[in-house]
């Protein structure tokens, strides 16, 4: 296998609006991010995925782009971007950007021109129809077809109506987007995370979905779903609702072209798709480099050994079926999902479970993606005042709910707050001073700051505390750096009869490690047989173990212990 930098890199997602406010306007920016490069280097990550930093109408906080080749004024200038990129590279950190290719903002000059008339040069750059051709829904705000009086026609949008879909069947659109790709690659960025890549093409027959539901109905079901069974049912309904709008096979041809563009550049530029379908890896050489292992995230409540074991078995065999060169990519959190700390917590042992989450990310086979703030245990902040919501998808949901006169407004606001992605996008907590060191004192931040910054959930309080989560992250990141088996090794499950424990080996070029994780609060015994009895040296333990303690074929793991043994 020909290993590239991204095989072993640990990625860290920065959500620019919430990372560090360098100019005191309550919004994160490049000056702030550049000042934090030292922090990231010290943390020990290798690459940054930056969520969109382009001028945007901010209906979807950056994911509705007005200009692909510039920097949003609230984040700074192109010069500030270049300085950030140079500082990252100087620190040995790679940078990948977010490519939002499916849609633009409705204020993008391309759309402004397209909607002017039916025969302007960009008339066919978006997806237009004389009448709504089917019952398709947008995944954010109701009907997927929105009327445009200038053209007396409807345009298609998979996301909000302020995010019209580009027409990827028009070669001019394809060329324009590949030029955008080159613009940033020319500046030296190391690759792209491809936003919602499965939504580029729709069913050409425009086949209607066959469900008796609208988006509002499904959102209501989602809001009411409590049990895992109900939640699984809702995800199936979502899948069926959108099945003619996502995953069209024509995406593969575009990914092949995009890969060729990237391969023209030196430095092993890379692509990671926001999709879980390994088919986007093509033959291992001709489409994307990585797609996310999203199925691993699908557990509301603590992760269990069984969940991880099943996930790894399925995922690794799916990847192997695609090509021998395909490589896993694991993540537990991002700007669209609840915070790792509370999502996989149980309310009682959250601190211990958060350590297990990061241990999994850094010891399982594959490239890990972490999300800013998880390293200090940031938690969701449910905004219960609908007026403070900035995630317009949640505002839409609130407005739908309160159409029902029987709906209690406070209850609706709470539901919208829970559904909203604002809860996991609140500003980074740097210290315990006013505004958590994110913005200067006295400034109103774009989203409220989670008040738990005063209770030790901040970088400054954790930095010098040997027992903090942040220190644990740093230790685990260093451990991974020092052990090639953790970066490149093959994964093998170690069968050992105790369902509270997850135990596996990673082996690379004659070096092997055994990783044993106790997912329970009580001591657990594990018995090894055969070749697995050879692991006798303690490399790392999250518990208090004597460093030279030699283990035998039977091992007793302490409460939530994470143990790494060498031969
Ligand atoms: C992706 C992004 C999400 C955004 C959507 C539309 O799923 O991660 O934040 O709202 O695409 O661009």
């Amino acid at each position: 296998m020909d290993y590239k930098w991204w095989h072993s890199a640990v990625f860290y997602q920065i959500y620019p609006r919430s990372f560090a406010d360098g100019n005191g306007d309550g919004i994160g920016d490049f000056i702030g991010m550049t000042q934090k490069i030292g922090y990231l280097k010290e943390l020990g990550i290798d690459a940054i995925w930056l969520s969109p930093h382009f001028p945007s109408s901010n209906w979807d906080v950056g994911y509705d782009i007005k200009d692909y080749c510039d920097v949003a004024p609230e984040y700074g200038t192109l010069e500030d971007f270049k300085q950030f990129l140079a500082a990252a590279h100087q620190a040995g950190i790679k940078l990948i950007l977010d490519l939002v290719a499916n849609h633009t903002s409705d204020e993008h000059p391309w759309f402004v021109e397209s909607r002017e008339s039916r025969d302007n040069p960009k008339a066919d750059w978006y997806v237009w129809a004389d009448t709504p051709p089917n019952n398709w829904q947008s995944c954010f705000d109701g009907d997927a077809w929105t009327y445009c009086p200038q053209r007396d026609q409807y345009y298609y949008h998979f996301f909000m109506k302020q995010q019209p879909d580009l027409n990827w069947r028009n070669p001019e659109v394809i060329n324009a987007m590949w030029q955008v790709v080159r613009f940033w690659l020319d500046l030296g960025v190391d690759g792209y995370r491809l936003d919602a890549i499965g939504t580029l093409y729709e069913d050409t027959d425009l086949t209607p979905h066959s469900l008796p539901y609208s988006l509002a109905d499904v959102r209501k079901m989602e809001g009411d779903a409590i049990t895992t069974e109900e939640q699984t049912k809702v995800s199936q309904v979502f899948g069926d609702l959108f099945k003619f709008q996502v995953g069209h096979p024509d995406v593969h041809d575009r990914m092949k072209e995009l890969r060729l563009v990237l391969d023209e550049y030196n430095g092993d530029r890379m692509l990671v798709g926001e999709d879980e379908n390994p088919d986007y890896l093509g033959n291992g050489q001709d489409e994307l480099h990585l797609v996310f292992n999203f199925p691993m995230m699908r557990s509301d409540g603590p992760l269990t050994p069984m969940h991880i074991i099943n996930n790894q078995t399925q995922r690794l065999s799916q990847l192997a079926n695609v090509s021998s060169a395909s490589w896993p990519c694991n993540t537990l959190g991002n700007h669209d999902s609840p915070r790792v700390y509370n999502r996989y917590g149980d309310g009682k042992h959250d601190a211990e479970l958060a350590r297990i989450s990061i241990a999994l990310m850094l010891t399982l086979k594959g490239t890990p993606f972490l999300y800013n703030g998880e390293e200090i245990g940031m938690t969701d902040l449910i905004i219960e005042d609908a007026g403070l919501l900035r995630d317009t998808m949640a505002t839409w949901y609130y407005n739908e709910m309160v159409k029902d006169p029987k709906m209690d407004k406070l209850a609706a606001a709470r539901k919208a707050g829970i559904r909203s992605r604002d809860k996991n996008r609140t500003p980074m907590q740097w210290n315990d001073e006013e505004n958590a060191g994110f913005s200067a004192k006295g400034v109103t931040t774009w989203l409220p700051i989670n008040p738990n910054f005063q209770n030790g959930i901040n970088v400054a309080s954790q930095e010098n505390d040997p027992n903090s989560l942040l220190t644990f992250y740093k230790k685990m990141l260093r451990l991974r750096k020092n052990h090639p088996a953790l970066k490149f090794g093959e994964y093998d499950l170690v069968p050992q009869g105790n369902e509270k424990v997850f135990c596996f080996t990673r082996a690379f070029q004659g070096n092997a490690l055994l990783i044993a994780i106790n997912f329970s609060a009580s001591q657990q015994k594990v018995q090894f047989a055969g070749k697995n009895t050879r692991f006798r040296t303690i490399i790392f333990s999250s518990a208090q173990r004597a460093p030279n303690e030699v283990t035998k074929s039977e091992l007793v793991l302490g409460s939530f212990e994470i143990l790494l043994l060498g031969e």
Side-chain angles (χ1 to χ4, degrees):
M1 182 113 163
D2 179 16
Y3 291 105
K4 305 293 186 202
W5 65 268
W6 47 267
H7 283 103
S8 58
V10 176
F11 281 78
Y12 180 95
Q13 179 189 359
I14 293 185
Y15 194 69
R17 216 170 186 77
S18 286
F19 197 59
D21 171 13
N23 68 355
D25 63 356
I27 297 175
D29 48 45
F30 278 109
I31 297 180
M33 286 190 272
T34 307
Q35 287 164 355
K36 298 298 183 192
I37 289 290
Y39 165 77
L40 296 175
K41 187 175 163 68
E42 165 68 18
L43 177 61
I45 55 96
D46 308 288
I48 295 167
W49 151 29
L50 184 65
S51 277
H53 64 277
F54 319 97
S56 162
S57 315
N58 283 318
W59 282 90
D60 191 12
V61 207
Y63 286 90
D64 48 327
I65 296 172
K66 285 200 293 199
D67 181 351
Y68 285 91
C69 297
D70 206 349
V71 169
E74 64 269 35
Y75 297 157
T77 61
L78 199 53
E79 205 37 56
D80 295 331
F81 170 85
K82 288 180 189 166
Q83 282 179 20
F84 171 66
L85 176 62
H89 280 170
Q90 181 78 33
I93 296 174
K94 308 269 189 193
L95 175 67
I96 68 166
L97 302 182
D98 217 315
L99 183 70
V100 186
N102 174 66
H103 48 271
T104 67
S105 155
D106 63 348
E107 292 180 18
H108 192 294
W110 297 342
F111 187 73
V112 171
E113 190 173 343
S114 188
R115 80 169 159 218
E116 278 305 302
S117 65
R118 295 185 185 197
D119 55 5
N120 68 71
K122 301 241 168 4
D124 195 28
W125 277 46
Y126 292 82
V127 182
W128 293 97
D130 290 345
T131 50
N134 54 32
N135 58 0
W136 287 355
Q137 297 291 287
S138 121
C139 73
F140 280 169
D141 65 357
D143 287 342
W145 300 93
T146 288
Y147 183 66
C148 167
Q150 287 104 311
R151 284 179 62 142
D152 187 22
Q153 277 185 317
Y154 292 77
Y155 64 90
Y156 173 71
H157 51 97
F158 183 71
F159 297 96
M160 262 169 247
K161 56 174 146 319
Q162 293 84 358
Q163 296 169 292
D165 270 46
L166 282 161
N167 176 12
W168 277 83
R169 304 213 175 270
N170 180 341
E172 290 176 16
V173 167
I174 300 173
N175 283 338
M177 200 53 79
W178 296 168
Q179 272 176 38
V180 167
V181 168
R182 287 175 200 282
F183 177 84
W184 298 100
L185 291 176
D186 287 338
L187 289 180
V189 306
D190 300 287
Y192 289 98
R193 174 259 190 190
L194 305 176
D195 186 68
I197 203 63
T199 62
L200 285 197
Y201 287 97
E202 298 74 45
D203 175 44
T204 39
D205 295 335
L206 300 167
T207 313
H209 72 75
S210 54
L211 298 181
Y213 310 125
S214 66
L215 179 75
D217 300 328
V218 185
R219 283 270 179 252
K220 181 164 183 327
M221 273 182 222
E222 190 187 29
D224 295 341
I226 294 168
T227 63
T228 313
E229 219 179 0
E230 288 165 344
Q231 288 168 357
T232 314
K233 163 108 200 317
V234 176
S235 352
Q236 279 161 358
V237 172
F238 265 114
D240 287 343
L241 191 66
F242 298 124
K243 86 170 168 214
F244 298 107
Q245 297 166 257
V246 297
H248 194 281
D250 288 353
V251 177
H252 292 290
D253 292 336
R254 294 295 81 72
M255 294 304 100
K256 289 194 176 107
E257 281 171 26
L258 176 58
R259 177 64 176 260
L260 289 175
V261 174
L262 256 85
D263 287 350
E264 284 169 27
Y265 288 80
N266 60 13
D268 299 315
R269 317 291 171 107
M270 62 85 70
L271 298 168
V272 51
E274 191 209 0
D275 207 291
E276 64 197 53
N277 185 354
D279 289 344
Y280 291 125
L281 302 175
N283 68 9
Q285 307 292 337
D286 65 347
E287 292 193 39
L288 310 185
H289 299 83
L290 297 170
V291 289
F292 289 103
N293 175 9
F294 288 138
M296 176 143 70
M297 294 173 76
R298 292 196 193 111
S299 155
D300 282 308
L303 297 165
T304 61
M306 196 44 83
H307 176 75
I308 303 291
I309 291 168
N310 290 341
N311 172 268
Q312 290 299 294
T313 310
Q314 274 174 19
R315 194 70 190 162
L316 294 173
S317 81
Q318 269 178 348
L319 290 171
N321 286 342
V322 169
S323 115
S324 59
S326 46
W327 187 253
C329 175
N330 300 311
T331 188
L332 288 174
N334 58 45
H335 67 295
D336 292 329
S337 61
R339 287 275 181 187
V340 169
Y341 197 85
N342 46 259
R343 179 171 189 175
Y344 305 113
D346 65 357
K348 267 210 225 133
H349 309 101
D350 295 352
E352 292 86 346
L353 292 167
R355 283 166 171 75
I356 290 184
S357 294
I358 185 62
L360 286 169
M361 285 299 98
L362 299 183
T363 57
L364 285 172
K365 182 179 172 184
T367 303
F369 273 68
L370 315 179
Y371 176 52
N372 62 200
E374 68 168 73
E375 72 274 26
I376 51 168
M378 281 181 66
T379 58
D380 288 343
L381 175 69
I382 310 292
I383 297 173
E384 303 202 12
D385 173 350
L388 289 180
L389 290 174
R390 294 289 170 271
D391 183 358
T392 36
M393 172 260 265
T395 314
W396 174 84
Y397 178 41
Y398 172 79
N399 290 333
E400 283 298 306
M401 283 188 281
V402 298
K403 278 183 188 162
D404 175 355
K406 289 199 289 293
M407 184 76 198
D408 174 59
K409 286 212 164 59
L410 290 178
R414 182 162 169 80
K415 277 192 172 188
I418 292 173
R419 183 65 193 84
S420 106
R421 299 166 297 171
D422 290 330
K423 65 179 183 298
N424 47 283
R425 296 173 174 178
T426 60
M428 180 74 184
Q429 297 164 200
W430 294 102
N431 61 37
D432 62 4
E433 289 166 31
E434 188 190 324
N435 275 340
F438 167 75
S439 277
K441 295 176 189 162
V443 170
T444 304
T445 56
W446 81 281
L447 274 180
I449 293 180
N450 192 320
N452 67 13
F453 76 94
Q454 289 156 324
N455 308 331
I457 314 299
N458 69 72
V459 171
S461 305
Q462 295 191 21
E463 228 157 22
N464 300 315
D465 173 358
N467 299 317
S468 69
L469 184 61
L470 180 59
T471 303
F472 188 79
Y473 263 68
K474 289 185 188 170
K475 269 192 214 158
M476 291 299 301
L477 281 156
R478 278 174 190 48
L479 196 65
R480 184 182 154 96
K481 267 210 171 84
N482 294 334
H483 289 277
L486 292 180
K487 290 187 278 193
F488 308 112
E490 283 311 314
Y491 160 94
D492 265 307
L493 179 67
V494 172
Q496 44 73 35
N498 184 334
E499 59 175 27
K500 302 259 169 50
V501 174
F502 174 40
C503 192
F504 60 105
T505 56
R506 299 284 312 278
F508 180 67
Q509 293 182 346
N511 284 307
L513 290 176
L514 179 141
I515 297 109
I517 305 179
N518 176 3
F519 281 65
S520 80
S522 48
Q523 284 196 343
Q524 298 295 331
K525 242 186 235 168
V526 187
Q527 268 162 348
F528 302 126
K531 63 177 183 170
N532 292 321
T533 55
R534 73 187 195 277
F535 295 97
R536 293 289 175 93
T537 322
I538 295 178
I539 306 278
F540 173 84
S541 165
S542 61
Q544 306 292 326
R545 269 179 194 267
N548 55 358
E549 186 189 344
V550 176
T551 57
K552 307 202 177 58
S553 58
E554 180 179 285
L555 187 69
V556 180
L557 290 171
S559 158
F560 297 109
E561 182 173 1
I562 297 153
L563 180 66
L564 269 74
L565 300 178
E567 287 160 289

